[in-house]
């Protein structure tokens, strides 16, 4: 009995222990599930969805990759508020740091009469001493303010070329500001004249290395006009401006409206400049033009503050007196009026007192007519030889007494005015000076009017009939960049540039095409050109990119081998990134496999800009040459 009791007690104990273990297992599992669920809900509520939660008994294990240390610490703190912090096991990782981004390198260079200042952040690899030495060479010793800072980072691509170009450009621009960044230079400057502006822009564009984004803003100041001149003539053929000056756009518009009201229907523009003798210049011009219109013919000339009104021969004296009287009363102060009513010419036995000089298209000059004395004959002949060439002057003048005292001045002024023409004639009489002919300069009438107004003085009349003809094109004139681009496109529509299958070697059949392209580029003076390589989408993208770059470079090398100056050319591969047709068809892939020639224009050429960055999005049909078909498995 005792043994049985002991056996029953032992079995009861074992059963109780087993039951306790089962109950404890269920309790632990419940705690694990409850802790994991509570922590997961808390993390999801604040957006930490990247964190992984695992419960192992009483332990709560956190895994996942936190974006930064602060976020990792925030997760630990949040979980520690849900369960006991001692139960939290942190096994989270942190996203590796990409390092400190390099700074943006740039420099600002300012040059004026006081010297040069340079400020900015440049890579330490830049030879700072060389830069400052070059600036001292440009501005002079002790005229450079160096405010540069350096940083020990690798120089970005294109930085050194951009800085070298900026220093070269600075030497040409006494008043300028130049901003330098990697592969980009912006220039703001002031030139001396419109002609100087065009020359500077052309030179800066040619100097720019291939691949450089260039922005130009060159201003031309208003010219100083001396004497400040306006001349308006009216005859049976209508009215015309021989010269027109204005101090502002408003003044110019008033003058042109007055001429239009007086019957002028031609094309004219006033030169806007400095040197106006009075703020009432436009008012004086309006009155003078209106008075000439009332007379019905003649000319009105303003030279600074002097106005000369010359009526047409045959004008009624009463009308002349009436118009002149009203004009004198209305003219603003400062302006002085000289009115001339020509006397009818009379015949006499001695013939007219006249000196003439003619200039032929070949440059031959003949001097004929009357000269006041032997000294003037020698002076006029020598002056003409100096102006037109000693071998081109023939003199057949004759000394006559009793000529006007200002005859020498009028003769020499007439010869100087004639030198502004390509062909023409000048006639000097006691009452007038008449010049007619042709010039290749559109501003020739204005310049001649200024000259004669300054040389002849007040109350002197003269007649101008100067026409403009565009100068003939020189036989060796280089093609414009736009024409060059069009010619390249025309060649490429006829024949393609092809390559050996799967390689960057130009096929033998494309040599003639490259010869034609080289001939065109030889006539494109200093054009900036990007040679682009393009592929279809067959094959791996990296392989297509590499192959397109190699093929563009091969074309550039072929052009160099033909003795072309290629310093302004660059080669760039675009791979499969810029298709011009669908890659789903063979014809489309064939079109996408191509070499293109694109102009690189200054950044401020908004009308027709094609830069390195924009070439990829340029419309189809401008300067492209599809390449020959290659192995489709490589994208070519």
């Amino acid at each position: 009995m005792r043994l049985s009791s002991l056996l029953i007690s032992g079995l009861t104990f074992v059963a109780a222990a087993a039951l306790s273990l089962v109950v404890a297992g269920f309790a632990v599992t419940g705690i694990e599930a409850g802790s994991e669920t509570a922590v997961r809900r808390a993390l999801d509520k604040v957006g930490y969805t990247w964190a992984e939660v695992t419960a192992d008994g009483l332990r709560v294990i956190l895994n996942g990759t936190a974006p930064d240390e602060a976020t990792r610490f925030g997760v630990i703190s949040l979980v520690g508020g849900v369960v006991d912090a001692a139960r939290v096991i942190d096994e989270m990782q942190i996203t590796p740091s990409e390092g400190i981004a390099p700074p943006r390198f740039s420099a600002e260079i300012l040059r004026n009469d006081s010297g040069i200042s340079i400020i900015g952040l440049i890579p330490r690899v830049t030879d700072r001493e060389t830069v400052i030495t070059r600036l001292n060479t440009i501005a002079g010793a002790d005229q450079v303010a160096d405010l540069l800072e350096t940083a020990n980072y690798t120089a970005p691509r294109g930085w050194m070329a951009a800085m070298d170009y900026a220093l070269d450009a600075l030497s040409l621009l006494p008043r300028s500001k130049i901003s330098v960044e990697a592969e980009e230079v912006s220039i703001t400057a002031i030139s001396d004249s419109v002609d100087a502006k065009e020359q500077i822009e052309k030179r800066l564009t040619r100097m720019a290395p291939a691949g450089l984004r260039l922005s130009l803003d060159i201003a031309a100041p208003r010219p100083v006009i001396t004497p400040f001149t306006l001349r308006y003539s009216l005859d049976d053929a209508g009215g015309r401006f021989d010269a027109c000056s204005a101090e502002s756009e408003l003044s110019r518009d008033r003058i042109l409206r007055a001429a239009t009201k007086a019957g002028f229907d031609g094309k004219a523009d006033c030169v806007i400049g400095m040197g106006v003798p009075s703020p009432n210049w436009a008012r004086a011009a309006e009155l003078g033009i209106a008075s000439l219109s009332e007379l019905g013919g003649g000319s009105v000339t303003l030279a600074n503050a002097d106005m000369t009104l010359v009526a047409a021969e045959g004008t009624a004296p009463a009308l002349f007196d009436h118009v002149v009287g009203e004009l004198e009363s209305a003219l603003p102060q400062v302006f002085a009026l000289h009115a001339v009513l020509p006397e009818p010419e009379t015949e006499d036995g001695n013939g007219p007192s006249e000196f003439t000089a003619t200039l032929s298209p070949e440059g031959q000059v003949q001097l004929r007519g009357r000269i006041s004395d032997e000294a003037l004959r020698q002076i006029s002949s020598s002056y003409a030889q100096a102006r037109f060439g000693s071998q081109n002057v023939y003199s057949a003048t004759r000394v006559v007494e009793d000529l006007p005292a200002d005859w020498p001045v009028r003769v020499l002024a007439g010869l100087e005015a004639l030198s502004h023409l390509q062909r023409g004639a000048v006639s000097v009489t006691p009452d007038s000076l008449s010049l007619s002919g042709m010039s290749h300069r559109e501003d020739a009438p204005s310049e001649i009017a200024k000259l004669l107004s300054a040389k002849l003085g007040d109350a002197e009349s003269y007649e101008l009939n100067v026409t403009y003809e565009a100068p003939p094109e020189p036989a060796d004139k280089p093609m414009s960049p736009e024409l060059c681009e069009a010619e390249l496109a025309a060649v490429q529509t006829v024949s393609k540039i092809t390559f050996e299958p799967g390689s960057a070697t130009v096929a033998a059949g494309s040599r003639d095409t490259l010869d034609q392209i080289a001939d065109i580029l030889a006539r494109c003076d200093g054009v900036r050109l990007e040679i682009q390589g393009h592929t279809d989408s067959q094959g791996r993208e990296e392989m297509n990119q590499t192959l397109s770059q190699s093929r563009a470079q091969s074309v550039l090398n072929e052009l160099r081998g033909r003795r072309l100056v290629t310093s302004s050319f660059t080669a760039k591969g675009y791979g499969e990134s810029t298709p011009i047709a669908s890659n789903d068809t063979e014809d489309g892939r064939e079109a996408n496999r191509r070499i293109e020639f694109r102009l690189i224009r200054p950044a401020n050429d908004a009308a027709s800009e094609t830069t390195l960055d924009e070439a990829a999005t340029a419309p189809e049909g401008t300067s492209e040459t599809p390449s020959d078909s290659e192995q489709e498995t490589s994208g070519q």
Side-chain angles (χ1 to χ4, degrees):
M1 287 295 292
R2 183 175 179 80
L3 180 60
S4 299
S5 298
L6 291 173
L7 182 60
I8 292 171
S9 298
L11 291 173
T12 302
F13 180 79
V14 170
L19 180 61
S20 298
L21 289 174
V22 171
V23 172
F26 278 109
V28 169
T29 302
I31 293 173
E32 287 180 352
S35 297
E36 183 173 339
T37 300
V39 171
R40 178 74 271 163
R41 287 176 178 173
L43 293 174
D44 289 344
K45 185 176 181 179
V46 295
Y48 293 147
T49 56
W50 51 266
E52 299 293 337
V53 181
T54 303
D56 183 7
L58 297 179
R59 298 189 308 166
V60 176
I61 304 171
L62 301 177
N63 289 285
T65 302
D68 50 55
E69 180 62 31
T71 304
R72 184 189 71 84
F73 182 77
V75 170
I76 294 173
S77 299
L78 177 65
V79 175
V82 178
V83 299
D84 186 358
R87 296 167 52 193
V88 179
I89 307 299
D90 176 23
E91 295 184 0
M92 292 182 291
Q93 304 294 323
I94 300 175
T95 301
S97 174
E98 296 181 356
I100 301 175
R104 175 174 170 267
F105 292 111
S106 65
E108 297 280 344
I109 310 174
L110 178 65
R111 183 184 179 191
N112 53 35
D113 295 338
S114 300
I116 296 176
S117 62
I118 181 169
I119 186 172
L121 180 66
I122 64 175
R124 185 167 296 175
V125 69
T126 306
D127 192 341
R128 179 173 179 172
E129 292 185 1
T130 300
V131 171
I132 302 304
T133 299
R134 290 183 64 180
L135 293 178
N136 277 312
T137 302
I138 296 171
D142 301 325
Q143 297 295 313
V144 177
D146 177 11
L147 304 175
L148 288 173
E149 298 288 342
T150 60
N152 192 18
Y153 286 86
T154 302
R157 177 182 176 184
W159 168 261
M160 300 304 296
M163 179 60 76
D164 287 340
Y165 172 77
L167 296 178
D168 291 338
L170 189 70
S171 64
L172 304 175
L173 305 168
R175 298 176 297 279
S176 59
K177 185 189 81 170
I178 301 180
S179 302
V180 186
E181 295 186 24
E183 297 187 312
E184 183 173 353
V185 173
S186 299
I187 299 176
T188 303
I190 299 176
S191 62
D192 294 329
S193 65
V194 174
D195 290 340
K197 172 181 181 295
E198 294 177 356
Q199 294 298 323
I200 290 173
E201 287 179 341
K202 183 180 296 185
R203 186 169 181 183
L204 290 176
T205 300
R206 291 177 178 176
M207 287 169 49
L212 180 71
R213 294 189 297 274
L214 179 61
S215 176
L216 297 178
D217 183 9
I218 311 296
R222 292 188 300 165
V224 177
I225 303 174
T226 177
F228 217 79
T229 308
L230 181 143
R231 179 178 172 84
Y232 183 73
S233 302
L234 182 63
D235 54 27
D236 294 338
R240 69 177 184 276
F241 280 100
D242 295 318
C244 185
S245 305
E247 77 278 15
S248 66
E249 293 183 0
L250 178 60
S251 176
R252 176 196 61 193
D253 293 343
R254 289 178 58 184
I255 292 170
L256 295 180
R257 279 198 301 268
T260 301
K261 188 176 180 180
F264 175 72
D265 60 357
K267 181 180 179 181
D269 193 12
C270 290
V271 177
I272 298 177
M274 298 181 291
V276 65
S278 167
N280 294 315
W281 173 265
R283 177 57 179 162
E286 289 173 332
L287 292 170
I289 293 172
S291 298
L292 184 64
S293 175
E294 191 173 354
L295 289 174
S299 66
V300 59
T301 304
L302 279 84
N304 290 333
D306 294 306
M307 176 184 291
T308 302
L309 179 66
V310 181
E313 187 175 333
T315 300
L319 175 61
F320 179 77
D321 293 340
H322 170 73
V323 170
V324 171
E326 289 191 344
L327 180 57
E328 285 180 335
S329 300
L331 269 181
Q333 291 184 354
V334 177
F335 289 93
L337 175 63
H338 307 280
V340 178
L341 179 61
E343 295 289 340
E345 294 185 1
T346 59
E347 295 284 340
D348 58 40
N350 296 324
S353 295
E354 184 179 21
F355 168 85
T356 61
T358 58
L359 171 63
S360 71
E362 296 76 24
Q364 300 296 314
V365 176
Q366 292 189 5
L367 309 182
R368 299 181 182 277
R370 301 186 176 188
I371 293 293
S372 57
D373 54 44
E374 185 62 33
L376 179 58
R377 176 151 60 184
Q378 294 295 329
I379 292 173
S380 61
S381 179
S382 298
Y383 184 82
Q385 290 176 6
R387 284 283 184 174
F388 304 101
S390 58
Q391 304 299 320
N392 297 327
V393 177
Y394 171 76
S395 179
T397 56
R398 159 172 170 255
V399 176
V400 175
E401 298 180 354
D402 299 328
L403 292 174
D406 63 350
W407 196 259
V409 174
R410 299 167 71 81
V411 167
L412 296 178
L415 290 175
E416 185 173 356
L418 185 65
S419 67
H420 286 69
L421 306 181
Q422 269 61 53
R423 65 175 183 269
V426 62
S427 173
V428 178
T429 66
D431 297 323
S432 181
L433 183 151
S434 176
L435 178 71
S436 61
M438 181 277 294
S439 174
H440 290 323
R441 292 181 53 187
E442 290 187 274
D443 63 346
S446 177
E447 293 300 315
I448 293 171
K450 294 177 189 176
L451 165 69
L452 295 179
S453 296
K455 297 291 185 181
L456 300 182
D458 303 338
E460 293 289 346
S461 63
Y462 55 88
E463 297 178 4
L464 296 181
N465 184 17
V466 177
T467 60
Y468 166 76
E469 291 182 9
E473 297 288 348
D476 58 347
K477 179 184 178 181
M479 287 193 293
S480 67
E482 291 74 17
L483 180 58
C484 180
E485 188 177 43
E487 290 288 333
L488 291 173
V491 169
Q492 295 168 86
T493 57
V494 176
S495 58
K496 301 178 180 179
I497 297 177
T498 61
F499 298 87
E500 297 294 339
S503 77
T505 303
V506 176
S510 294
R511 304 299 170 132
D512 290 342
T513 301
L514 284 170
D515 288 342
Q516 295 179 55
I517 290 174
D519 290 340
I520 293 172
L521 291 175
R523 293 179 284 133
C524 300
D525 185 22
V527 65
R528 299 182 67 209
L529 195 68
E530 184 180 72
I531 304 171
Q532 301 179 354
H534 300 272
T535 71
D536 61 29
S537 62
Q538 300 295 301
R540 291 188 296 110
E541 182 177 353
E542 295 81 1
M543 179 183 297
N544 291 337
Q545 174 65 37
T546 301
L547 186 57
S548 66
Q549 178 66 46
S550 298
R551 289 183 167 177
Q553 187 64 45
S554 292
V555 173
L556 178 59
N557 293 339
E558 288 285 343
L559 295 176
R560 286 173 177 162
R562 287 162 172 78
R563 297 183 178 275
L564 283 177
V565 178
T566 60
S567 58
S568 59
F569 298 173
T570 186
K572 186 170 182 178
Y574 288 87
E576 61 188 60
S577 64
T578 57
I580 60 174
S582 172
N583 280 304
D584 296 334
T585 65
E586 176 55 34
D587 290 341
R589 291 191 292 272
E590 170 69 14
N592 290 333
R593 296 190 290 265
R594 67 198 190 276
I595 291 292
E596 292 185 351
F597 294 84
R598 295 294 180 90
L599 293 178
I600 304 173
R601 293 183 173 88
N604 61 335
D605 189 358
S608 56
E609 181 173 0
T610 304
T611 64
L612 293 176
D613 294 335
E614 295 173 338
T617 58
E620 178 183 356
T622 56
S623 267
E624 63 183 42
T625 300
S627 62
D628 200 4
S629 60
E630 319 282 355
Q631 295 177 347
E632 291 186 4
T633 57
S634 66
Q636 306 305 307

